[in-house]
């Protein structure tokens, strides 16, 4: 496995694990905040890729008002 460290053209998305289709994606957005905030421990929040967000009508946390 070669790790490329070229410039990251990040347009609001990131490489992360999609919790919906159970796979890595480059279009991940945080759609659910950690369940227990404040304790410091627990889940780091859930990410969903673009197709899953579209299919399941998930709104990224950053886009919620
Ligand atoms: Zn997905």
């Amino acid at each position: 496995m070669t790790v490329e460290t070229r410039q990251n053209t990040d347009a609001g998305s990131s490489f992360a694990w999609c919790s919906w289709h159970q796979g890595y994606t480059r279009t991940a957005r945080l759609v659910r905040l950690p369940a227990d905030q404040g304790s410091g421990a627990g889940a780091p929040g859930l990410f969903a890729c673009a197709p899953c967000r579209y299919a399941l009508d998930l709104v990224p946390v950053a886009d919620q008002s």
Side-chain angles (χ1 to χ4, degrees):
M1 281 297 207
T2 54
V3 179
E4 295 187 7
T5 55
R6 61 181 61 181
Q7 62 184 16
N8 182 20
T9 53
D10 190 13
S13 300
S14 58
F15 188 74
W17 178 265
C18 175
S19 299
W20 274 261
H21 79 258
Q22 297 287 295
Y24 285 105
T25 171
R26 291 186 178 278
T27 59
R29 293 288 301 276
L30 182 66
V31 296
R32 191 162 301 173
L33 293 171
D36 60 331
Q37 301 180 53
S39 68
L46 297 179
F47 288 82
C49 67
C52 287
R53 292 200 309 274
Y54 182 79
L56 299 170
D57 220 10
L58 299 167
V59 180
V61 171
D63 294 349
Q64 295 177 15
S65 56

